[in-house]
Amino acid sequence: FPEGTSLMAAVFHVILLPVKWLVHYTVPDVRILPPEKSWPQLRDAVIAICSCLVWIVAGSLAMCTSLESLGRLMGISDMLMGVTISAAGTSLPVLVASQAAAAQGMGNMAISNTFGANTFNILIGLGLPWALYCGFAAGGEKYHGLRDDGITISSLILAAVLLAFVALIIASNFVLYRWHAYVFIIMYAAYLIYAVAQDLITEY
């Protein structure tokens, strides 16, 4: 039990205790392994990676299902839930991994992790389900069930932000400064305002 913490932290510890217990016994702690290379070390590292992936998939599925139900109850569109709460929730593992890499002085890994995760989401997270559906469920027919719902504009905004990021990095000689973070946060806040406004205009 955590000592010297607030009441809120203790309450959350009790609520999350079953999940913490499951994670503790299903994910090997590779931090306590000996530094020398050995088969048990490699085995535990592989098990830890696979177990973490299973937990991420299960958590993402539970979160998306819950958000869909919550959106229907509150009258919020799937698009708005997707670009706000769902996007933030599914990106938290990327945020944690990037922060851990940056804290260890591996800035290139932190940035590469961000780009790699988003590239995987677009090419595999979207492309693989579409390929499987069109190839098997639809019998090779084209998929026509996808509504726009602002996806085209969001894709153009994504491309523009990516180009702005690359231009900013080149202009600063591939050095990140604190004011860069402020610019990115302001840009994201502006996008959220746009997404909410667009959803309200579409609905009403």
Side-chain angles (χ1 to χ4, degrees), residues 168 177-189:
L168 191 62
Y177 296 98
R178 186 183 296 273
W179 66 270
H180 290 165
Y182 297 146
V183 172
F184 297 148
I185 292 174
I186 292 174
M187 291 172 64
Y188 182 67

Side-chain angles (χ1 to χ4, degrees), residues 40-58:
Q41 183 181 21
L42 177 62
R43 178 201 61 200
D44 289 349
V46 171
I47 294 175
I49 293 173
C50 294
S51 182
C52 288
L53 290 175
V54 171
W55 275 105
I56 291 175
V57 170

Side-chain angles (χ1 to χ4, degrees), residues 15-204:
I15 295 175
L16 297 176
L17 191 59
V19 177
K20 291 182 178 181
W21 184 85
L22 289 173
V23 172
H24 176 75
Y25 286 102
T26 56
V27 181
D29 191 352
V30 296
R31 298 172 299 179
I32 62 176
L33 295 176
E36 62 273 5
K37 296 181 179 179
S38 61
W39 164 244
Q41 183 181 21
L42 177 62
R43 178 201 61 200
D44 289 349
V46 171
I47 294 175
I49 293 173
C50 294
S51 182
C52 288
L53 290 175
V54 171
W55 275 105
I56 291 175
V57 170
S60 299
L61 180 60
M63 184 193 69
C64 291
T65 304
S66 301
L67 286 178
E68 289 178 1
S69 301
L70 182 63
R72 285 194 297 267
L73 293 174
M74 299 180 64
I76 302 176
S77 67
D78 293 339
M79 187 278 296
L80 184 58
M81 295 293 285
V83 300
T84 54
I85 302 176
S86 180
T90 53
S91 298
L92 282 178
V94 180
L95 173 63
V96 173
S98 297
Q99 284 184 332
Q104 297 177 18
M106 297 180 288
N108 289 337
M109 178 180 289
I111 296 178
S112 299
N113 180 43
T114 302
F115 280 105
N118 286 279
T119 302
F120 181 88
N121 289 339
I122 294 174
L123 299 182
I124 303 299
L126 295 178
L128 182 60
W130 283 347
L132 293 176
Y133 179 85
C134 294
F136 297 98
E141 298 294 331
K142 295 182 179 180
Y143 178 67
H144 299 285
L146 182 64
R147 297 176 300 174
D148 190 310
D149 283 344
I151 294 178
T152 301
I153 301 298
S154 295
S155 300
L156 294 176
I157 293 175
L158 173 63
V161 170
L162 179 59
L163 291 176
F165 174 81
V166 173
L168 191 62
I169 293 299
I170 294 176
S172 61
N173 198 22
F174 292 92
V175 178
L176 289 174
Y177 296 98
R178 186 183 296 273
W179 66 270
H180 290 165
Y182 297 146
V183 172
F184 297 148
I185 292 174
I186 292 174
M187 291 172 64
Y188 182 67
Y191 173 71
L192 291 181
I193 295 174
Y194 161 78
V196 174
Q198 184 68 24
D199 184 71
L200 293 176
I201 293 174
T202 303
E203 184 174 355
Y204 298 104

